[in-house]
Amino acid sequence: MANGWAQGVCSLFNYKTEKFFIASNKKIGVLFRLFQLAVIGYLIGWVFIWKKGYQEREEAFESSVFTKLKGFALINTTEHGLHVWGAEDYVIPSQGDNVFFIVTNYIETPNQRLGLCAESPKVPDGVCSHDDDCTDGIPVIAGHGMKTGRCMNETGTCQIYGWCPVECSQTPMVPLLGKAENFSVYIRNFIRFPRFDFSKSNVLPSNNHTYLKSCYYDKVHHPYCPIFRMGDLVSWTGHSFQEMAVKGGVVGVGIEWNCDLDKDYSKCNPTYSFTRLDNSKYQNITGYNFRFARYYRYADGETNRSLFKVYGIRFDIMVNGEARKFSIVPTVVNIGSGVALMGVGVFCCDMILIYMMHGSSFYRQRKFETVVKKHDRRPREERRARHHRHGHDRHKKEDTLDLENQLLSSSPIRSPRIHKHRSHEQKHVKEATSRSHRSPERKPVAQASSSRMPHSPKK
C-alpha cells in the first residue's frame, strides 16, 4: 500500500511530451483527412461566408421613431347623428411615437352628470336583494360609483353616487370607423451606430418633394417609401382589418437594419416585418380597448362629460439593427478556433488508433514510451586504464636507469676513449628511454643496447 502511494507521488513529477510516429493505416488516414475537410468547410463556409466571422459587430445602436397619421372618416349613427373623425380624434396619442393607437370602434355614453343612479346589472358586486347588501360609503368593485345603502328594486342593483347614467356596454358588431382601413401612416426612423460613427434614415434622400405625397410602401415597386396604408399593415400579418377593427388588436411593425459597412452606403437599407402580437385562440384575451372622457362646462357651472369606450388597433414599432465591418481581431480568433478543432480531430483519431482498432496494443507501445536516464561509467574506466598505463611506463623507466648504472659500473678503465664510448652509450640509452616513454606499447630490447657496448682493451 505504501509502495503504491510512493509511486503515485513520484509520478506527479514526471513530464509527458508528445511523440510522433507515422502509422501506415489507411482507415485512420482517410478518417483524419475527412475530419480536416469538414473543419475547413465549416470554417470557410459557415464562419466566414455565412456568419461573416471576419467582421466586427455592433448591436448597441441609437434609434428614434416618428409617426404621423392622415385620413378622415364620416360617421352617421342613430344615437349620435353625423360626425366627422379626423386624425386628432382617432389617433391616441396625437404626438406620434414608436407606439400609437388608432380608434376603429367605440361606445359613447354622452351627457353624464354627477348624481344618483342604479348600478349596471353586469357588475356582480352591485347586485342586491335588500338594503343590507348595499353598505353605505363602500365603492362598488369594478363598478361606477359609491354605494348609498339603498337597493333599487326596479333593477335589482345598488344605488350609487357617480357619473350617471352608467355606461352602456353593448359593443357594435360592425366597426364604426371601418374606413380607417384607407388611412395612411408615415413612419420615419433614424438609426446610428456610434462605434462606426454611421447613421442613416429609412427615408430615401431625394429632391422630388412630391414623391412622399403620392407613394405607398410596396416591397417590390416602392421599397424606400415610408408611408403605409393601415389596411396593408394588418393584411401583411395574415388577418382582416375589418375583423380586427371590431374588438381591436395589437400589431407589431419590425424595422430591421443589417448593414455591411464594407459595402457602399446605399446598400444599408431597412427591411420591414409585420405580425399580430395578441393572436390567440381564446377570444377573451384578444382585442384592445380602453376608456377616456371629454368634459364640458355649461354656463351655469355644471360639468358634464361624454364617456368613450374605444376599440382599436395598437401598433408597436420595434427597431433592431446590427452593423458589421472588417476587423483583424475576430478574423484571427476564428482562425485559431479552426486550428483548435484540428487538434480535436488528432485526439479522436489517436484514441481510435491506440484503443479501438485491431492491433491497438502495438500502436500503444509505440506511442507511449518511458525513458529513464542511465549514468555512463565509461569515463571512470578510461581513467583507471590511463592510471595503469602511467604506472607501467614509470616502472619501465626505472628498469632502464638501473641497466644504465650497471653498465657504467662494470667498466674499470676510465680513459677518454672509453669515456667517449660511454657518453655515446648514454646517449643511446636516453634515446631509447624517450622512445619507450612516447610509445608505451612497444617493449624496449635491453639486449640491443648491450650488444652495442665496445669491448674493453686487453692489458
Side-chain angles (χ1 to χ4, degrees), residues 296-341:
Y296 311 95
R297 183 180 294 274
Y298 293 99
D300 57 358
E302 186 178 2
T303 301
N304 290 8
R305 76 173 189 179
S306 293
L307 178 65
F308 292 87
K309 181 181 180 181
V310 294
Y311 300 86
I313 303 174
R314 169 181 167 142
F315 293 89
D316 292 352
I317 302 175
M318 299 166 288
V319 183
N320 296 306
E322 181 185 71
R324 305 183 305 273
K325 195 173 184 179
F326 174 78
S327 177
I328 191 63
V329 175
T331 304
V332 173
V333 169
N334 287 315
I335 293 176
S337 300
V339 174
L341 287 177

Side-chain angles (χ1 to χ4, degrees), residues 365-381:
Q365 291 176 0
R366 296 291 182 181
K367 178 70 175 177
F368 302 107
E369 180 181 357
T370 303
V371 179
V372 180
K373 183 179 179 182
K374 296 182 179 180
H375 297 286
D376 193 0
R377 302 181 65 181
R378 292 179 58 187
R380 182 182 298 178
E381 295 176 355

Side-chain angles (χ1 to χ4, degrees), residues 282-299:
Y282 301 104
Q283 295 295 326
N284 61 334
I285 60 175
T286 58
Y288 191 87
N289 65 81
F290 62 92
R291 293 173 176 84
F292 72 93
R294 292 176 179 174
Y295 293 86
Y296 311 95
R297 183 180 294 274
Y298 293 99

Side-chain angles (χ1 to χ4, degrees), residues 54 60-61 67 100 134 142 206 244 322 406 442:
Y54 56 89
F61 59 92
T67 59
F100 65 93
C134 303
S206 176
M244 189 183 296
E322 181 185 71
Q406 290 178 4
R442 298 179 181 179

